[in-house]
Amino acid sequence: MRKILVTGAAGFIGFHLCRRLLGGGDEVVGLDSLTDYYDVNLKLARLKQITMNRNFKPVRLDLADRTGLKRLFEEEKFDVVVNLAAQAGVRYSLVNPHAYVDTNLVGFVNILEGCRHNSVRHLVFASSSSVYGANTKMPFSVHHNVDHPVSLYAATKKANELMAHTYASLFKLPCTGLRFFTVYGPWGRPDMALFLFTKAILENRPIDVFNYGRMQRDFTYIDDIIEGVIRIIDKVPAPNPEWSGDSPDSATSYAPYRLYNIGNNNPVELMHFIEALENHLGRKAEKNLLPLQAGDVPATYADVDDLVRDARFKPVTPIEAGIGKFVEWYREYYKQ
């Protein structure tokens, strides 16, 4: 039995990962600070699904609490750490930048220090497709340069990748970063498009459609994300013997460090996404067509060749099936 720390355990991805790990017989410590960035009741409802498992230990703690986190690592002696806790949201970073510094930067270095001093065998951490920023070459590859973020959120995720590499290099801490592409599905975040659209359509309110509906996103169903994470947990990175400083590869290293995209490898135009949702709800949406918002990018598209090669897995859930499962959950949870 492995002991695994999952941070952000009450969050969308964290909850699903905890449930999967517990189902596989792992011992899980689930850390979450239960911030009010969105409905805390939804977070508590997620936790309720897993706290009945005797192998799950919930811990309410802020990543920025250096003393508390240090004590947790010393007492629990984790085999693996999966860091999913973060201040999320591109648009929110425009109005509350300090929240991103406190959790995504200060909190992450506290995680790195905990792993370093307590012989953690593998740190897996959430990055984001947002790190591709101003890049336009498609599909986005982990081997591409990503030095032009267009939001503070994206900059903090890129910083996490750099900080992790430093610890892999200096202290031989095996680190793997996962760039998630627009995750959706049951128990999802209320600030994400699918949740917002569903709520508005069922309440007969118009939906805001940015970039006049011409945005494309590599929407990735939650079960595919979790399968990718599970496989990567068991794939502890080793140094790449072919890495060269003359032509540095950003996805690998002379240190035990790797980066992977987890995306559906199939961009969907926002209008098609909305149409699929309308079909499952049996209602048409009234649309407010708006320009692209600051910090957003017009398209994302994941190159998953490295994930397929190393983890022998490729996300496969079609958008119509994934949206159908979300709508089914939403109607049941909210009694609509």
Side-chain angles (χ1 to χ4, degrees), residues 51-185:
T51 49
M52 62 187 71
N53 191 304
R54 61 185 178 86
N55 287 330
F56 181 75
K57 178 180 179 179
V59 174
R60 186 166 183 175
L61 186 66
D62 194 314
L63 289 188
D65 182 350
R66 185 166 64 183
T67 301
L69 204 61
K70 181 175 182 290
R71 185 184 307 115
L72 180 68
F73 270 88
E74 290 172 347
E75 291 176 352
E76 297 290 347
K77 299 298 181 185
F78 302 110
D79 299 305
V80 175
V81 173
V82 183
N83 183 51
L84 301 173
Q87 177 56 61
V90 168
R91 293 165 191 163
Y92 187 61
S93 67
L94 303 179
V95 297
N96 191 2
H98 296 289
Y100 293 78
V101 173
D102 294 342
T103 301
N104 300 7
L105 299 180
V106 175
F108 191 64
V109 81
N110 290 341
I111 288 285
L112 288 167
E113 280 289 286
C115 293
R116 169 197 172 190
H117 290 293
N118 293 278
S119 303
V120 170
R121 295 204 301 261
H122 191 191
L123 168 62
V124 179
F125 64 96
S127 185
S128 168
S129 61
S130 67
V131 301
Y132 290 103
N135 288 22
T136 55
K137 184 178 180 181
M138 299 283 181
F140 291 150
S141 168
V142 287
H143 303 284
H144 292 169
N145 176 286
V146 288
D147 285 339
H148 298 86
V150 296
S151 71
L152 182 64
Y153 170 70
T156 64
K157 288 300 186 178
K158 167 68 173 177
N160 287 171
E161 295 178 359
L162 298 175
M163 294 158 74
H165 182 268
T166 302
Y167 274 67
S169 176
L170 290 174
F171 309 115
K172 311 307 177 193
L173 171 65
C175 295
T176 303
L178 303 176
R179 294 174 177 172
F180 298 143
F181 280 68
T182 315
V183 190
Y184 74 101

Side-chain angles (χ1 to χ4, degrees), residues 122 142-143 175-178 227-242 249-253 255-262 303-315:
H122 191 191
V142 287
H143 303 284
C175 295
T176 303
L178 303 176
E227 182 64 30
V229 175
I230 291 291
R231 294 193 184 209
I232 291 300
I233 285 174
D234 294 325
K235 189 75 178 176
V236 180
N240 177 6
E242 298 180 357
D249 172 19
S250 60
T252 68
S253 177
Y257 175 85
R258 287 291 187 279
L259 293 174
Y260 295 98
N261 288 331
I262 305 185
D303 179 332
V304 294
D305 287 352
D306 287 40
L307 182 71
V308 172
R309 183 194 66 225
D310 294 347
R312 298 185 178 183
F313 172 70
K314 181 179 180 180

Side-chain angles (χ1 to χ4, degrees), residues 236-290:
V236 180
N240 177 6
E242 298 180 357
W243 193 91
S244 169
D246 289 338
S247 182
D249 172 19
S250 60
T252 68
S253 177
Y254 57 86
Y257 175 85
R258 287 291 187 279
L259 293 174
Y260 295 98
N261 288 331
I262 305 185
N264 209 43
N265 190 231
N266 182 30
V268 173
E269 190 168 81
L270 188 55
M271 283 301 192
H272 176 71
F273 182 81
I274 294 169
E275 182 181 327
L277 177 59
E278 290 172 329
N279 289 338
H280 282 289
L281 291 175
R283 300 188 187 186
K284 286 292 184 182
E286 180 185 344
K287 306 173 187 71
N288 289 331
L289 299 181
L290 300 167

